Amino acid sequence: MTASRVLVLNSGSSSVKYQLLDMTDRSRLAVGLVERIGEETSKLAHEPLTGPGAAGGRRERLGPIADHGAALRAVAAELAADGLGLDSPELAAVGHRVVHGGTRFTQPTVIDDEVLAEIRSLIPLAPLHNPANVTGIEVARSLRADIPQVAVFDTAFHSTMPEYAARYAIDAATADKYSIRRYGFHGTSHAYVSRATAALLGKAPSDVNVIVLHLGNGASASAVRGGVCVETSMGMTPLEGLVMGTRSGDLDPAVVFHLARVGGLSVDEIDSLLNKKSGLLGLCGDNDMREVQRRAEEGDSSAQLALASYVHRLKKYVGAYSAVLGRVDAVVFTAGVGENSSWIREAAVEGLEELGLALDPEANAVRSREPRLVSAEYARVAVAVVPTDEELEIATQAYALVTR
Ligand code: AMP
């Protein structure tokens, strides 16, 4: 029997998302989420999708889960109860989403002590994300030391950006000393979605130029030429670029000096303001796009302004990336907002006929989990909606590496 299962772990600061996949048919065997780790009100939601447990559907366990170690052990117990235990010889690898790979990691990588130490050394570049990723790796290794643990980096797909796009125009020696450059994030999603868009167009990835708009709670755009990323909107950290749920995106860096000098805010306070209290939340008090849209429709002026800012920024990026690519074959929307909000898609494309973009209103209104075209027949550039699947992409990359 060849081992064909991959467990994908996405460890956040207080959460662990997981999926167990069978790579022979790319099916999902179980999915789940542990939330509020370290609090009294932790929650484990587990759903077996195959085997004897599947008929029972989703199960929830409430009660304190002290740390990531306890969380993973609880997940392992749920999987074992469904006959999908992690001790199974069918488990081929564990794939870990790792947010920051710096310039060192541009490919999925089997984790040994040296790799783990290097991921740890990147913590200053991603203080909110990499520590949880490291913990997830340590715990998974302690559960199954005998199978490969593979790191798949959120930055990797963007490592092909040309130097002139990756560099900030600051003193070069200072930039090098502190590893300051644009790395980009959501790379697993941009890779998966740009490839799936080529397939939707019936072409090889090497033959198409695509602008990917990943619009979730975090949001980023990328320009992908012939399957290779040449520009993306997030920078040294996920703060740069589009207006997001709680992040400001682009902003004059002098705002930071002003807040410190005139407002008397500490660096940590400014960090929290820009990452956690800005974007849609900062503009109107809500970061959930459904709520912002609902309020805007009811005439709430701050929600309308938040939407207008969000769409304006998107358009600026679509225009800029059209110029970067020269020829654009498709603009593709993905993630929570991009996949579900026909309103945002319509507003983002409106008025861009000169760039070759126009929607088919009926196609755009359809709700579906399938990749689909929503552009008008006469449009020169295809507009597509492609649901992202970061877990499947992580599993695919990890499995390809360990079965090579
Ligand atoms: P993600 O980070 O990809 O899970 O996306 C989360 C975002 O998607 C949230 O801001 C949600 O409000 C948004 N979202 C989910 N469903 C819809 C919908 N039907 N219409 C608008 N936004 C949605």
Side-chain angles (χ1 to χ4, degrees), residues 134-150:
V134 167
T135 309
I137 292 166
E138 285 169 342
V139 175
R141 275 178 118 195
S142 72
L143 288 178
R144 278 301 296 269
D146 59 318
I147 58 166
Q149 309 279 329
V150 178

Side-chain angles (χ1 to χ4, degrees), residues 137 185 192 292 363:
I137 292 166
F185 298 87
Y192 176 85
V292 181

Side-chain angles (χ1 to χ4, degrees), residues 214-218 287-290 293 335-337 340-341 367:
H214 175 111
L215 310 178
N217 196 29
N287 67 306
D288 189 313
M289 182 57 91
R290 285 164 290 206
Q293 281 183 221
V337 175
N340 295 300
S341 177
R367 294 188 65 84

Side-chain angles (χ1 to χ4, degrees), residues 151-211:
V152 177
F153 298 90
D154 240 24
T155 46
F157 183 63
H158 306 300
S159 65
T160 49
M161 273 196 288
E163 197 61 10
Y164 54 76
R167 281 267 173 186
Y168 290 109
I170 64 170
D171 174 67
T174 306
D176 289 343
K177 183 172 177 192
Y178 296 108
S179 306
I180 297 171
R181 60 188 283 119
R182 308 187 57 250
Y183 296 94
F185 298 87
H186 292 147
T188 313
S189 176
H190 287 277
Y192 176 85
V193 168
S194 56
R195 247 192 3 257
T197 305
L200 185 65
L201 298 178
K203 295 192 172 161
S206 54
D207 289 338
V208 291
N209 293 350
V210 185
I211 297 174

Side-chain angles (χ1 to χ4, degrees), residues 320-391:
Y321 288 5
S322 297
V324 165
L325 289 172
R327 188 199 85 221
V328 181
D329 297 297
V331 173
V332 54
F333 289 85
T334 193
V337 175
E339 290 166 30
N340 295 300
S341 177
S342 55
W343 190 92
I344 288 289
R345 294 194 297 264
E346 188 184 329
V349 168
E350 194 192 344
L352 302 187
E353 292 83 3
E354 288 293 323
L355 296 179
L357 294 161
L359 286 185
D360 174 337
E362 273 180 35
N364 187 44
V366 171
R367 294 188 65 84
S368 162
R369 287 292 303 154
E370 294 302 312
R372 58 201 185 273
L373 291 175
V374 296
S375 34
E377 231 164 74
Y378 63 84
R380 202 173 68 243
V381 176
V383 182
V385 181
V386 173
T388 193
D389 197 336
E390 289 165 280
E391 288 77 16

Side-chain angles (χ1 to χ4, degrees), residues 256-278:
V256 176
F257 319 146
H258 185 77
L259 284 170
R261 288 187 192 126
V262 179
L265 272 70
S266 69
V267 169
D268 286 343
E269 285 168 335
I270 299 170
D271 189 331
S272 165
L273 179 80
L274 298 181
N275 273 299
K276 298 189 178 148
K277 297 178 201 148
S278 296

